Amino acid sequence: MAREKSQCHYHGHIDESQMSQAQPQRSNFHSALNGTKEVIGWLATELREATGNSEMELSDETALWEQLVQGHEQICTGLQGGPTIFAVPIPEDRCPCERPELRTIRGQSQKAK
């Protein structure tokens, strides 16, 4: 019998390190994301910003990201030399977020612009 997955949301993390050294941590938490569309939208926005190409086509990536979100899997993307962009699934009943006000601002990047 398949085990039912609990409800979860995603935490968006951006690490300026290169992909081989980056780790999602509370110190690089930027957004709380709820639902597939928010996760995909946030990843696409951050990746486009990192590349400096706001018109970059990401249809292959978004199809893969959708599958990963549906499976409650961690997503890691970015540029080889940095930044590294993570979307990390967190079960609602085990969220370690110490800043609950960020959880109410779903999909909004909290980094200084």
Side-chain angles (χ1 to χ4, degrees):
M1 180 195 299
R3 195 171 103 182
E4 187 176 316
K5 295 192 181 221
S6 64
Q7 287 291 96
C8 74
H9 66 275
Y10 274 74
H11 281 194
H13 298 260
I14 299 175
D15 190 324
E16 295 302 324
S17 303
Q18 59 186 355
M19 290 184 78
S20 64
Q21 298 173 348
Q23 292 291 320
Q25 301 173 38
R26 289 184 192 179
S27 63
N28 58 23
F29 170 64
H30 289 274
S31 298
L33 308 162
N34 191 24
T36 304
K37 287 184 180 183
E38 275 192 12
V39 173
I40 291 171
W42 182 81
L43 287 165
T45 297
E46 296 299 333
L47 186 56
R48 286 181 178 119
E49 186 177 304
T51 63
N53 182 355
S54 63
E55 302 299 319
M56 182 170 51
E57 177 60 40
L58 296 170
S59 58
D60 291 342
E61 289 82 355
T62 57
L64 175 60
W65 295 339
E66 183 173 357
Q67 291 175 355
L68 294 172
V69 171
Q70 290 172 354
H72 297 180
E73 300 290 333
Q74 178 173 300
I75 302 168
C76 176
T77 190
L79 306 178
Q80 186 172 352
T84 302
I85 304 162
F86 294 96
V88 180
I90 306 291
E92 292 289 349
D93 62 345
R94 293 191 294 145
C95 180
C97 183
E98 293 179 13
R99 297 181 286 173
E101 70 277 9
L102 294 181
R103 292 184 62 194
T104 63
I105 307 173
R106 301 288 186 182
Q108 300 289 324
S109 179
Q110 299 302 303
K111 66 184 176 181
K113 298 272 179 187

